[in-house]
Amino acid sequence: NELPESLKHPLRLVDVECGDKVVRKFNISVGRLTTDLPVGHKEGLFYALLSAVVKPKATESGEDLEAWNQIAAAYGYNVANDLAEGNIPDPEDFKETCVLSLSIVNYAQLTAEVDAGKVSEWMSSIHGIVADLCKTYSVQRVQTRADGLICITGTNKVAGDISNTAVSRMKDFTLALHQKLGDQEMRTILKTGISVGPCTMAFIKTSERLPSVSLFGDAVNLANRLQLRTQPGFVNFGGSAVARLAAEKEDLSLLEFSGASAAWLDIKEEEFISPISPQEFGHRDTNESNLRHRKV
């Protein structure tokens, strides 16, 4: 008897037409007053808190405004306001999110084989592709390191990031990323893991730089373990992530894969196979009839 998944977190950067006919950005939190009644009851009462997204006066002109816009693009408007005022945003807890952990296979070997300029060009191309796909699928990139990154959906922190499509969009984002990076001149092979669960987003203060964003919690830990245990050419899904995907797609047949600790999605065929360990992988043919398959 709770709110729908899409309303559990604040709706961010919603366009609202005000009384003066001007459209402004608002963050909207929805809550229930009649918690003793079912959500759809005709006498049920709700409330909505609208918080206007306002740029601080210190950023009203010139270079300061441009800097504020860049910070807002990276961190979100509310965080940009806090930073402009010299504050560090409070940590945010999310009860259920979808987390992707990604790493580049043989990164150290690849970078040792080419000159620094080629590495820089390669990495810039990768992160440009990631940024474009993040916009397309409403995915937030949270942490980035040289050989990998962590992304998250289901927080409503970026436009279009609706909770009830979090896993579906993350799956599509991951498949598109595998394809685009595999088509590069310097072919990039990935290992990826996707999980669902609670996590916390925190901002770590430094003395001279903008704060770094840290994501931690059960969902992050599981996504990292899934990524380490998979093989190139597959996306390793946690069982809960498969169950959530089945609910989003209204495809009960996928539930046969949700009972296991993990299920592997074949990137080329876009179908799940029975979960198998990395030790077994080299000795099993994924086309054997004793492996279960399900198109997604």
Side-chain angles (χ1 to χ4, degrees):
N1 194 25
E2 295 183 346
L3 285 171
E5 291 290 340
S6 58
L7 296 178
K8 282 188 175 181
H9 303 310
L11 306 176
R12 301 174 188 272
L13 304 181
V14 179
D15 288 331
V16 177
E17 183 176 337
C18 302
D20 57 3
K21 303 300 182 181
V22 175
V23 175
R24 297 182 175 89
K25 298 284 187 183
F26 282 80
N27 295 329
I28 303 176
S29 297
V30 179
R32 298 174 55 214
L33 291 174
T34 50
T35 56
D36 56 324
L37 296 176
V39 170
H41 196 281
K42 65 180 182 179
E43 295 181 1
L45 298 175
F46 299 82
Y47 65 87
L49 301 178
L50 277 70
S51 175
V53 178
V54 181
K55 299 177 182 179
K57 290 184 179 180
T59 66
E60 287 182 350
S61 63
E63 296 179 357
D64 288 339
L65 178 58
E66 178 60 28
W68 186 90
N69 284 331
Q70 292 179 3
I71 295 171
Y75 293 96
Y77 286 95
N78 282 357
V79 174
N81 285 349
D82 284 333
L83 296 178
E85 294 168 0
N87 302 319
I88 295 297
D90 293 331
E92 290 188 84
D93 293 319
F94 301 100
K95 291 183 178 180
E96 185 169 273
T97 58
C98 181
V99 176
L100 164 71
S101 176
L102 173 155
S103 68
I104 299 173
V105 177
N106 296 328
Y107 173 81
Q109 178 182 343
L110 290 170
T111 55
E113 293 174 349
V114 297
D115 60 50
K118 188 69 172 178
V119 172
S120 177
E121 180 182 330
W122 174 47
M123 295 307 297
S124 296
S125 174
I126 289 175
H127 290 293
I129 291 172
V130 169
D132 289 342
L133 290 177
C134 281
K135 292 180 181 178
T136 300
Y137 295 102
S138 299
V139 172
Q140 184 179 10
R141 177 173 51 181
V142 180
Q143 292 174 316
T144 303
R145 62 180 191 273
D147 63 339
L149 54 87
I150 291 179
C151 296
I152 187 171
T153 55
T155 66
N156 287 341
K157 288 180 70 67
V158 297
D161 184 17
I162 306 302
S163 298
N164 55 8
T165 61
V167 180
S168 301
R169 284 183 290 105
M170 188 68 87
K171 175 189 74 71
D172 293 341
F173 167 83
T174 305
L175 293 178
L177 187 59
H178 274 273
Q179 179 180 350
K180 285 184 175 293
L181 294 185
D183 292 340
Q184 282 188 309
E185 177 184 352
M186 191 169 176
R187 188 164 179 258
T188 306
I189 301 174
L190 306 175
K191 293 178 64 177
T192 46
I194 292 177
S195 70
V196 165
C199 68
T200 298
M201 187 180 297
F203 296 86
I204 311 302
K205 185 176 182 180
T206 58
S207 58
E208 297 178 354
R209 302 172 58 189
L210 290 172
S212 59
V213 183
S214 179
L215 194 68
F216 54 90
D218 291 347
V220 182
N221 297 336
L222 177 56
N224 286 331
R225 290 197 299 270
L226 292 167
Q227 178 261 123
L228 289 171
R229 294 173 182 171
T230 193
Q231 294 287 328
F234 291 86
V235 183
N236 201 2
F237 276 73
S240 297
V242 178
R244 178 69 181 270
L245 182 64
E248 291 179 7
K249 287 183 164 292
E250 298 182 352
D251 184 355
L252 297 180
S253 64
L254 292 176
L255 292 177
E256 65 178 295
F257 297 94
S258 65
S261 59
W264 291 22
L265 177 65
D266 186 316
I267 294 169
K268 184 176 181 180
E269 301 297 331
E270 294 192 25
E271 64 183 13
F272 279 109
I273 65 170
S274 294
I276 51 180
S277 70
Q279 292 77 18
E280 295 175 309
F281 186 85
H283 307 288
R284 300 279 294 274
D285 180 356
T286 56
N287 290 318
E288 289 180 4
S289 59
N290 63 336
L291 290 181
R292 292 173 295 171
H293 297 256
R294 182 66 61 189
K295 203 80 172 178
V296 293

